[in-house]
Amino acid sequence: MFRIVMQHIHHGARWCFFLAPLIMLGEVFCDLQQPTLMSQIIDNGLAKGDLGYVIQHATWMLAFALVGVLFGASSGVLGNYASLKMGEALRSHLLQVALIDRNPAGLEPATLITRITNDVIQMQNLVMMVTRGLVRSPMLLLGGIVMSAIVCPDLAPILFIIMPLLVIFLLIVVRRSVPRYTRMQRAVDTVNRVMRENLQGAKTIKAYVLENHQRHQFNQENSHLRQSSQSAAMATVILSPVIQLMLNLGVVIALSYGGSLAISKTISDGQIIAFVNYMIQITTAMVQTVNIITSFSRAITSANRVQAVLDEEPAEQRSTPTAQRPTGSSIDFDNVTFGYQQSKPILNQLNFHVADGQWLGIVGATGSGKSSIIKLLTASFDQYQGTIRIGGTDIKQLDLPVIHSKVAVALQDSLLFSGTVRGNLTYGAPGTAAQLAQAATIADADKFIDRLPGRYDAAVEQNGKNFSGGQRQRLNISRAIIPDADILVLDDATSAVDQETNARIKSRLEQARAQRTTVIISQRVTNVMACDQIIVLADGKLVAQGTHAELVQRSDFYRQLVHTQLGGGNNGHA
Amino acid sequence: MDMHKRVPRNIHREKVSLGDWRQTVARIWHYLATRRRQLAIVFLLTIVTTVVTIVGNRLNGVVVDSYISKNKLRMLLIVCASMAGMYLISSVFTYFQNSIIIKVAQDTSAHIRRDVFANLQRLPMRYFDTHDNGDVMSRLTNDVDNINTALMQTFVQLFTGIISVIGMGLAMLLLSPLLTAITLLSPIATYFFSRRIAKVTQKVFMTQQQALGNLNTQIEESVSGKQLVQLFDHSEQTMADFNRTNAEYTKAAFRAQSFSSVIGPFNNMTNNLAYVLITAAGAISILTGHGGITVGIIFTFLIYLRNFTGPINNVLNLINTLQLSLVSAQRVFSLIDEQPEKDVPGAVHVTQTAGNVTFDHVSFAYETRPILRDVNLTAKQGEVVALVGPTGAGKTTIMNLLTNLYPLQQGKVLLDGRDVTTIKRQDLRKLVTVVQQESFLFSMSIRENIRLGRLDATDDEVVVAAKRANADFFISQLPDGYETVLSENASSLSQGQRQLLSIARAFITGAPVLVLDEATAAIDSNTEADVQTAMTALMVDKTSFVIAHRLSTIQRANQILVINDGQVIEKGTHASLLAKQGFYAGLYNSQFDTQK
Ligand SMILES: Nc1ncnc2c1ncn2[C@@H]1O[C@H](COP(=O)(O)OP(=O)(O)OP(=O)(O)O)[C@@H](O)[C@H]1O
Ligand SMILES: Nc1ncnc2c1ncn2[C@@H]1O[C@H](COP(=O)(O)OP(=O)(O)OP(=O)(O)O)[C@@H](O)[C@H]1O
Ligand SMILES: [Mg+2]
Ligand SMILES: [Mg+2]
């Protein structure tokens, strides 16, 4: 945990982090002077009836109080700064790692989100408490012990017996509470996930009247969270009363034992009073320390969860790129075999070649692996067998940004981000107004964009909720066109677009990308039939390959597609 | 590059209303009121523990004054023994008191979360369209957490504070009015100081929590869209955007918390000042022989000071925690206050329908821009009605209105001649099953996902529905079959597989009206043909609406409605529409035009 904190505390914040406790020492020092001065007033000033002495010492006490507040306040502000800066850096780092993570078995969104938000805040709070409290309270504690031992050495053994007992007790309790906090944070994850799904799936829930069902599920998770939070908090609730009790008993012993000593005149009244005062100070400090330790056990859990995200950070960024950006734009799949889980291959011994400037069409049944091919081509995963080449260069030897600038993809689910139309279109690459308009025209999005209030500056809600399915898809396509990449891939990107618009997009695209490598995945025969080459996938295997005319002869699957969609003919109006 | 500037929309939408904090407190109290008994017990326990503290502390002084100074060893030991007993009781009570408080606080938070969720469920579609998930989630976690913390911390402190003030105040007054007045200085100073600070901080806290909400929104959105971020190498810019919001939050939080971090030391100082004053004043009055003050009394007061002003100052200290929790409570309650979808008064239960659907001069706009204009249509029992038309024409919107997802502005939608707005929403939606363009799958098992269509469906029925939807084929290939738990957003299934599951879920409902909104868009036409055959069998004497762009999907419909620009512009069968040589014919022929 300490490592995470240190790794994310930089520059000024680092200074503050160390400075805050030091300054706090000042405050503690000032605080510790008070009982001593007081006992001197009582023992010396009062006993001798020396008013001057009393006033002089009282002034000192006053001065210490005022200086103390200065120390305290500045230390508080510095500690605050350090903790917030740490939180800021940590959040930023975590999101960064989460965004570049390419592990298919990585953490799921809901837990990632809680880790970046909730867990970081826990750690931030802890750092805050630590800078102020971890020095203050233990110092007050230590100071209290030392001072009381000095003021009244006869009574000191009382403390030396009680303190170790307390420490052992503390350790036991903390050990018990950490796993409970872990369970609690996991429950937070679940509640967050259910919540998130209900927000995302609101329309589906309404459509199927699942409100009660979902509420029931939420209530279950919610009471689970309640129980685990309670159990975590209960693990530590025993601490304060026990500690108070032991220290109070210490006071009683000090009084009775000290009292008997005082009666036999071995020690003075003032000494007893000071000692008891220190004991009370120790109690307070001890209770505060316990509070910090309680937050510690919670923060340890959070730290572990945060660490798990950080561990996803690829130790070595793919083997260092050895190849230059290829000039050509051919695509090769050589004996490529791939599975998300080791056991079952999704793509099986795949071989195909797309020459520079060719158009490739991919068809195949639902789940046959079409989108997976694209994921491999864009290097979303590395753990496949065989070789994939772009422009003749193995993509494993290319830098990710190079691959991504070489290949632009319109993904199957046309996710949009909240912001503006312009912001979404220029997501892949900046574009001038003319470029935006041109891309929008190719994707036939220009007309509806022009009708939006504010046109390219019109608001887009999260996931593009305020657009129709087809409109989203056309924005998605425009977004992929703008970078003008050497290879363009459209993964079933017009499935929600009507035939006429689809035909328009297709012909404009053919114009814009004549003689440039383009991959079209589609369920519509009309979208792929003009391609230079079409491959038919079934169950991860390439079962047929050729032009439209060839496939109509050769592939049952393809012929069937043509038959259902075009009514048996490929040349005319049914 | 300011190309992708986020519009921090929520800040604009929601006024920073610092408004009526009294009302907010009253509402929190309303939640606590159901736990009145426990709170009463805590109060009683607190009385005991506080009294013990007071008496114990007084005894400290008595011991010094009466026994040690006067050499009474036996009495000393007896009193000490009884003190020990009292402390024991006090500690046991403290334990119970804290345990109860933890329970009350957690129960209350859970209760609040439950209410928020329950209301959220009933909010109109419009709300979900226009709100960011991350912010809502932040309210439910971070803000409820703040309330929880405040509840846990304040109660014991508050009770202790009150009782201490009364108890110790009396005891001290009896001992020495002068020293009592001095002791009181410290809490009074803290009170005024905290109040000043609280005024400033409330606003800053609101900014802080809103910034936190925005932060969550951005995290949520970019984590969800991770694939795109990677594909477009956008992480640098996403991070730049994020870092800006992140810094905003830090700034707001720094301002808010710096104020509060000053309160502690200040508090400490006033305590120390009182300490000095008591010692000095006490010493002086002993020396000058005024007011009958003894060393023991000074001693008692010094201990009182720690124990008496401690709790009060703690409460005052908590003013910031309280402020934060009030701000949070406002954010949370504003979710509970969102107006839910309500059935019109007198809405009726309808559990059966023949499935005759009529749209009668319907016009509609989501915001101000009109989307539907004077739409008329009729669908009779047993018919398959197809809706076609350019994207964005309003097809999905028409179906949204059929299930009363958005309030209708003009005209009527009738089901068996009955205005759908007069049917209880839940009934209506059970009668009309819609497979949406983007159906959502939950991260539960495939079986449970399909069963969401009808919760009392048996396992066999689930399998039958999956077979009809042609989903059984791929499900049975999965290692865990129907028990496969889907990852979030069903990301481990292909797009088409997700659609097949949604169709299975719709098939299992057995509703008399079925709407497929591009439900097969990502499915290959061979599979689609099978699904359609199954649907035809399933939908005899039921009404179905099919929205599709692949015209092969809809050729056999009884009625095809062509929607353009929010209007029904043509109506007829495939053959009659082709013969008409109008919009539909153009649409149909367009697919062949661009062939090589
Ligand atoms: N929730 C919404 N808020 C605001 N505007 C919306 C919303 N949903 C749709 N719109 C707008 O209403 C119009 C009609 O959308 P609708 O989804 O009904 O079209 P559609 O005919 O179903 O198109 P598609 O074939 O692309 O699915 C579009 O211009 C769209 O931008
Ligand atoms: N992240 C994943 N983890 C595990 N399995 C996956 C994952 N993504 C896809 N699959 C499985 O891999 C197979 C191929 O999926 P893919 O998305 O490539 O199909 P597709 O051909 O694009 O189908 P569609 O036409 O439906 O989009 C499917 O059986 C799917 O269930
Ligand atoms: Mg796919
Ligand atoms: Mg639609």
Side-chain angles (χ1 to χ4, degrees):
Chain A
M1 176 156 75
F2 187 68
R3 213 181 62 215
I4 299 183
V5 172
M6 287 327 293
Q7 275 169 357
H8 295 93
I9 205 156
H10 308 293
H11 314 299
R14 207 182 188 110
W15 279 103
C16 295
F17 182 71
F18 290 111
L19 217 57
L22 282 182
I23 296 183
M24 182 55 68
L25 283 180
E27 196 197 2
V28 173
F29 176 77
C30 293
D31 274 1
L32 285 174
Q33 299 310 311
Q34 304 287 359
T36 319
L37 287 169
M38 186 244 1
S39 94
Q40 281 168 356
I41 289 182
I42 291 177
D43 281 355
N44 302 338
L46 284 187
K48 298 190 188 115
D50 184 346
L51 194 61
Y53 185 93
V54 170
I55 290 175
Q56 189 203 350
H57 277 70
T59 318
W60 270 115
M61 286 172 82
L62 207 69
F64 276 121
L66 290 176
V67 175
V69 73
L70 282 184
F71 280 132
S74 46
S75 149
V77 172
L78 290 181
N80 209 349
Y81 183 76
S83 74
L84 286 169
K85 277 294 177 189
M86 191 281 304
E88 186 181 339
L90 184 54
R91 251 192 307 273
S92 185
H93 188 189
L94 285 175
L95 185 63
Q96 177 99 46
V97 172
L99 289 185
I100 60 170
D101 174 37
R102 299 184 308 137
N103 177 5
L107 294 164
E108 298 232 41
T111 182
L112 264 181
I113 295 166
T114 355
R115 284 170 204 230
I116 305 177
T117 55
N118 197 290
D119 285 305
V120 171
I121 289 192
Q122 299 305 340
M123 295 193 58
Q124 192 176 296
N125 286 346
L126 182 83
V127 171
M128 167 82 172
M129 283 187 91
V130 164
T131 49
R132 185 172 161 72
L134 200 63
V135 167
R136 186 187 154 78
S137 309
M139 277 328 250
L140 276 178
L141 198 67
L142 227 98
I145 295 174
V146 172
M147 292 300 277
S148 59
I150 293 173
V151 168
C152 191
D154 293 312
L155 296 179
I158 299 176
L159 278 172
F160 295 139
I161 296 169
I162 292 179
M163 292 317 288
L165 283 179
L166 284 184
V167 170
I168 292 172
F169 178 65
L170 243 162
L171 287 179
I172 294 175
V173 171
V174 167
R175 270 185 67 137
R176 239 165 40 113
S177 69
V178 171
R180 297 196 188 190
Y181 278 110
T182 311
R183 239 172 291 146
M184 175 176 117
Q185 286 306 87
R186 236 181 273 140
V188 173
D189 277 351
T190 319
V191 164
N192 251 355
R193 196 200 69 222
V194 175
M195 187 71 192
R196 182 162 172 266
E197 290 195 331
N198 276 277
L199 292 167
Q200 291 181 329
K203 205 171 172 191
T204 300
I205 289 169
K206 288 191 186 302
Y208 288 93
V209 196
L210 293 171
E211 285 93 343
N212 288 335
H213 179 263
Q214 287 301 106
R215 191 161 58 238
H216 187 72
Q217 200 205 347
F218 178 83
N219 288 349
Q220 231 168 5
E221 300 302 345
N222 187 28
S223 67
H224 190 176
L225 171 59
R226 190 198 63 208
Q227 277 158 14
S228 56
S229 316
Q230 270 168 4
S231 119
M234 287 303 274
T236 47
V237 76
I238 185 89
L239 277 175
S240 322
V242 168
I243 284 166
Q244 248 162 14
L245 177 65
M246 288 170 90
L247 288 165
N248 276 332
L249 290 183
V251 170
V252 172
I253 295 170
L255 278 177
S256 50
Y257 176 62
S260 60
L261 289 183
I263 290 173
S264 53
K265 295 294 178 235
T266 344
I267 58 177
S268 70
D269 292 4
Q271 275 179 310
I272 296 181
I273 295 178
F275 186 83
V276 170
N277 253 312
Y278 279 123
M279 282 289 281
I280 289 171
Q281 195 179 63
I282 291 170
T283 317
T284 321
M286 195 68 198
V287 169
Q288 277 164 7
T289 313
V290 163
N291 282 340
I292 295 173
I293 287 175
T294 313
S295 328
F296 234 124
S297 14
R298 190 167 178 189
I300 287 173
T301 303
S302 291
N304 289 339
R305 286 159 52 87
V306 163
Q307 188 61 50
V309 179
L310 292 178
D311 286 345
E312 302 255 316
E313 190 162 20
E316 1 97 53
Q317 282 289 341
R318 306 171 24 102
S319 49
T320 31
T322 48
Q324 290 296 311
R325 180 190 170 87
T327 44
S329 311
S330 59
I331 303 171
D332 286 282
F333 271 59
D334 259 357
N335 273 321
V336 173
T337 299
F338 166 76
Y340 293 93
Q341 283 103 19
Q342 283 339 39
S343 55
K344 189 180 143 227
I346 295 295
L347 297 176
N348 213 336
Q349 296 287 324
L350 214 56
N351 281 298
F352 63 85
H353 169 77
V354 185
D356 207 333
Q358 263 198 341
W359 278 49
L360 170 74
I362 305 179
V363 297
T366 296
S368 55
K370 303 181 292 299
S371 302
S372 304
I373 292 183
I374 303 310
K375 285 188 200 151
L376 291 190
L377 181 64
T378 51
S380 297
F381 303 111
D382 291 334
Q383 55 279 48
Y384 55 87
Q385 288 143 33
T387 321
I388 300 173
R389 280 190 287 271
I390 293 178
T393 313
D394 186 345
I395 59 167
K396 283 198 173 152
Q397 292 170 354
L398 291 173
D399 228 355
L400 285 177
V402 171
I403 301 175
H404 293 153
S405 66
K406 200 77 188 156
V407 187
V409 185
L411 287 174
Q412 200 167 6
D413 42 2
S414 38
L415 181 69
L416 299 179
F417 292 103
S418 61
T420 60
V421 170
R422 185 193 308 280
N424 273 288
L425 292 192
T426 54
Y427 199 74
T432 61
Q435 282 169 320
L436 290 194
Q438 194 199 355
T441 312
I442 295 175
D444 201 39
D446 50 339
K447 275 171 286 173
F448 82 83
I449 295 177
D450 282 339
R451 280 164 54 185
L452 294 172
R455 301 183 61 227
Y456 287 85
D457 294 313
V460 178
E461 298 286 348
Q462 191 171 12
N463 296 335
K465 281 180 287 198
N466 52 341
F467 288 90
S468 86
Q471 289 171 339
R472 269 199 296 270
Q473 285 197 328
R474 285 180 285 164
L475 292 175
N476 184 33
I477 298 174
S478 314
R479 174 169 62 190
I481 291 177
I482 285 175
D484 197 32
D486 290 339
I487 300 175
L488 175 70
V489 179
L490 302 186
D491 187 354
D492 213 3
T494 55
S495 63
V497 170
D498 63 284
Q499 300 281 14
E500 203 173 347
T501 311
N502 189 38
R504 251 196 311 273
I505 297 173
K506 185 178 161 250
S507 72
R508 287 177 192 166
L509 206 59
E510 275 167 358
Q511 256 172 23
R513 295 198 60 93
Q515 306 307 317
R516 302 189 63 188
T517 314
T518 306
V519 179
I520 308 282
I521 297 176
S522 183
Q523 299 295 1
R524 293 189 196 169
V525 171
T526 50
N527 279 340
V528 295
M529 50 200 272
C531 287
D532 303 300
Q533 186 190 172
I534 303 167
I535 61 181
V536 181
L537 279 191
D539 226 357
K541 288 197 265 298
L542 196 157
V543 292
Q545 188 168 13
T547 62
H548 174 70
E550 288 165 355
L551 286 178
V552 171
Q553 304 296 320
R554 244 188 263 152
S555 164
D556 289 341
F557 178 86
Y558 193 79
R559 199 175 321 112
Q560 183 76 35
L561 277 193
V562 172
H563 180 77
T564 13
Q565 289 181 24
L566 305 181
N570 67 339
N571 55 346
H573 310 182
Chain B
M1 232 186 303
D2 62 344
M3 290 293 186
H4 186 69
K5 221 156 117 205
R6 277 197 98 263
V7 199
R9 283 155 306 141
N10 283 331
I11 285 195
H12 298 306
R13 272 195 200 123
E14 199 177 323
K15 279 179 291 172
V16 182
S17 81
L18 298 178
D20 208 351
W21 61 269
R22 258 175 228 120
Q23 208 183 334
T24 313
V25 172
R27 290 183 71 170
I28 297 179
W29 175 247
H30 179 74
Y31 278 98
L32 291 170
T34 51
R35 293 167 188 87
R36 231 179 279 131
R37 268 234 318 271
Q38 279 127 306
L39 288 180
I41 295 174
V42 170
F43 192 69
L44 291 177
L45 291 176
T46 313
I47 291 182
V48 177
T49 52
T50 314
V51 167
V52 168
T53 315
I54 297 172
V55 175
N57 291 339
R58 176 68 194 116
L59 284 180
N60 281 340
V62 172
V63 165
V64 174
D65 272 355
S66 324
Y67 310 129
I68 299 181
S69 315
K70 294 182 184 140
N71 298 341
K72 292 184 181 158
L73 187 56
R74 224 175 77 92
M75 273 308 285
L76 172 71
L77 293 180
I78 292 174
V79 174
C80 281
S82 53
M83 276 167 76
M86 275 169 18
Y87 283 135
L88 181 67
I89 294 173
S90 159
S91 278
V92 171
F93 280 19
T94 307
Y95 173 78
F96 283 118
Q97 160 193 312
N98 289 345
S99 310
I100 295 175
I101 282 295
I102 285 175
K103 203 166 151 27
V104 168
Q106 298 288 358
D107 285 350
T108 308
S109 316
H111 193 166
I112 293 177
R113 275 196 301 265
R114 206 171 64 208
D115 283 358
V116 172
F117 189 83
N119 193 57
L120 204 64
Q121 288 264 296
R122 301 183 317 169
L123 295 183
M125 239 3 258
R126 191 82 205 129
Y127 180 87
F128 298 98
D129 286 349
T130 51
H131 283 75
D132 291 325
N133 301 348
D135 183 61
V136 176
M137 282 161 62
S138 181
R139 291 178 198 226
L140 205 84
T141 47
N142 297 325
D143 285 312
V144 173
D145 244 14
N146 287 341
I147 301 176
N148 181 42
T149 312
L151 289 180
M152 284 225 270
Q153 292 184 353
T154 37
F155 264 97
V156 174
Q157 312 265 24
L158 194 68
F159 287 165
T160 318
I162 294 170
I163 299 164
S164 307
V165 171
I166 298 170
M168 293 201 203
L170 282 178
M172 289 196 301
L173 261 181
L174 288 178
L175 281 174
S176 161
L178 172 70
L179 294 186
T180 309
I182 294 175
T183 313
L184 280 177
L185 274 182
S186 150
I188 289 171
T190 312
Y191 173 73
F192 282 107
F193 186 66
S194 316
R195 240 190 45 171
R196 275 216 69 81
I197 284 197
K199 278 223 178 77
V200 188
T201 47
Q202 202 178 34
K203 233 195 208 101
V204 208
F205 274 137
M206 189 48 114
T207 323
Q208 175 194 317
Q209 288 309 100
Q210 277 174 347
L212 188 60
N214 284 336
L215 207 61
N216 269 13
T217 299
Q218 277 190 36
I219 293 172
E220 205 264 341
E221 207 175 359
S222 46
V223 169
S224 310
K226 177 173 123 180
Q227 206 188 352
L228 268 186
V229 175
Q230 291 182 358
L231 265 185
F232 286 98
D233 276 319
H234 203 267
S235 64
E236 228 164 87
Q237 224 184 305
T238 306
M239 288 311 298
D241 279 342
F242 175 75
N243 287 341
R244 212 171 312 127
T245 318
N246 201 4
E248 260 164 42
Y249 165 73
T250 307
K251 204 169 119 205
F254 180 66
R255 279 176 53 193
Q257 290 173 24
S258 287
F259 280 117
S260 39
S261 64
V262 171
I263 288 191
F266 180 84
N267 195 6
N268 197 26
M269 178 193 73
T270 54
N271 263 342
N272 280 336
L273 284 183
Y275 202 91
V276 177
L277 286 176
I278 289 174
T279 317
I284 291 170
S285 57
I286 291 177
L287 287 181
T288 53
H290 285 297
I293 291 174
T294 64
V295 177
I297 290 180
I298 296 181
F299 182 41
T300 313
F301 262 90
L302 290 182
I303 295 179
Y304 275 152
L305 184 67
R306 295 255 181 246
N307 287 306
F308 167 72
T309 57
I312 302 178
N313 283 340
N314 281 342
V315 174
L316 296 176
N317 236 334
L318 283 174
I319 282 191
N320 268 286
T321 315
L322 284 175
Q323 289 288 352
L324 177 59
S325 74
L326 281 184
V327 166
S328 284
Q330 274 180 11
R331 280 168 54 82
V332 171
F333 289 146
S334 85
L335 270 187
I336 299 184
D337 290 342
E338 283 288 340
Q339 210 50 40
E341 287 189 301
K342 274 212 196 75
D343 290 323
V344 294
V348 286
H349 267 301
V350 178
T351 51
Q352 268 182 344
T353 173
N356 298 312
V357 174
T358 311
F359 274 61
D360 185 13
H361 298 287
V362 171
S363 297
F364 173 79
Y366 286 102
E367 281 150 343
T368 47
R369 192 164 51 100
I371 302 290
L372 296 184
R373 277 173 295 163
D374 199 33
V375 169
N376 291 296
L377 70 84
T378 44
K380 293 208 183 60
Q381 178 174 21
E383 269 189 342
V384 176
V385 178
L387 274 67
V388 299
T391 69
K395 304 177 293 295
T396 301
T397 306
I398 292 178
M399 291 303 130
N400 284 342
L401 296 180
L402 177 57
T403 49
N404 201 1
L405 277 176
Y406 293 89
L408 196 60
Q409 278 123 14
Q410 250 177 52
K412 273 194 175 119
V413 179
L414 307 169
L415 184 63
D416 287 346
R418 186 183 274 126
D419 188 341
V420 293
T421 54
T422 65
I423 302 175
K424 286 194 183 298
R425 271 194 177 75
Q426 303 226 335
D427 290 349
L428 176 66
R429 290 173 192 165
K430 277 187 179 141
L431 295 173
V432 182
T433 293
V434 183
V435 185
Q436 282 141 3
Q437 214 160 345
E438 265 101 38
S439 283
F440 190 83
L441 295 169
F442 294 86
S443 50
M444 28 173 130
S445 72
I446 288 184
R447 186 189 304 288
E448 283 172 297
N449 261 297
I450 297 179
R451 212 200 306 265
L452 287 180
R454 186 157 51 81
L455 295 171
D456 58 4
T458 64
D459 284 359
D460 286 342
E461 286 172 315
V462 169
V463 177
V464 169
K467 282 195 168 132
R468 286 206 176 112
N470 264 37
D472 180 71
F473 168 70
F474 81 84
I475 299 172
S476 49
Q477 279 188 354
L478 295 170
D480 295 326
Y482 283 84
E483 305 310 326
T484 310
V485 176
L486 297 183
S487 53
E488 280 171 38
N489 304 72
S491 58
S492 56
L493 293 180
S494 85
Q495 192 90 355
Q497 290 169 338
R498 283 176 228 169
Q499 289 201 326
L500 292 179
L501 282 191
S502 321
I503 294 171
R505 182 167 64 189
F507 278 178
I508 214 169
T509 60
V513 181
L514 178 67
V515 179
L516 298 183
D517 186 355
E518 315 252 7
T520 52
I523 300 171
D524 63 285
S525 18
N526 301 348
T527 310
E528 187 191 25
D530 293 344
V531 173
Q532 270 195 326
T533 317
M535 194 184 85
T536 315
L538 209 64
M539 295 307 288
V540 275
D541 32 275
K542 294 182 181 173
T543 312
S544 38
F545 290 88
V546 179
I547 302 176
H549 288 306
R550 254 182 283 158
L551 299 182
S552 58
T553 316
I554 52 154
Q555 281 173 18
R556 270 170 305 195
N558 302 81
Q559 208 191 135
I560 298 175
L561 302 173
V562 183
I563 317 288
N564 190 17
D565 215 3
Q567 282 170 307
V568 182
I569 54 167
E570 284 174 20
K571 215 180 261 198
T573 61
H574 179 66
S576 75
L577 286 174
L578 277 188
K580 202 169 162 192
Q581 289 292 322
F583 196 92
Y584 181 81
L587 212 55
Y588 185 75
N589 292 331
S590 67
Q591 56 184 319
F592 308 109
D593 287 349
T594 53
Q595 285 170 43
K596 269 193 188 161

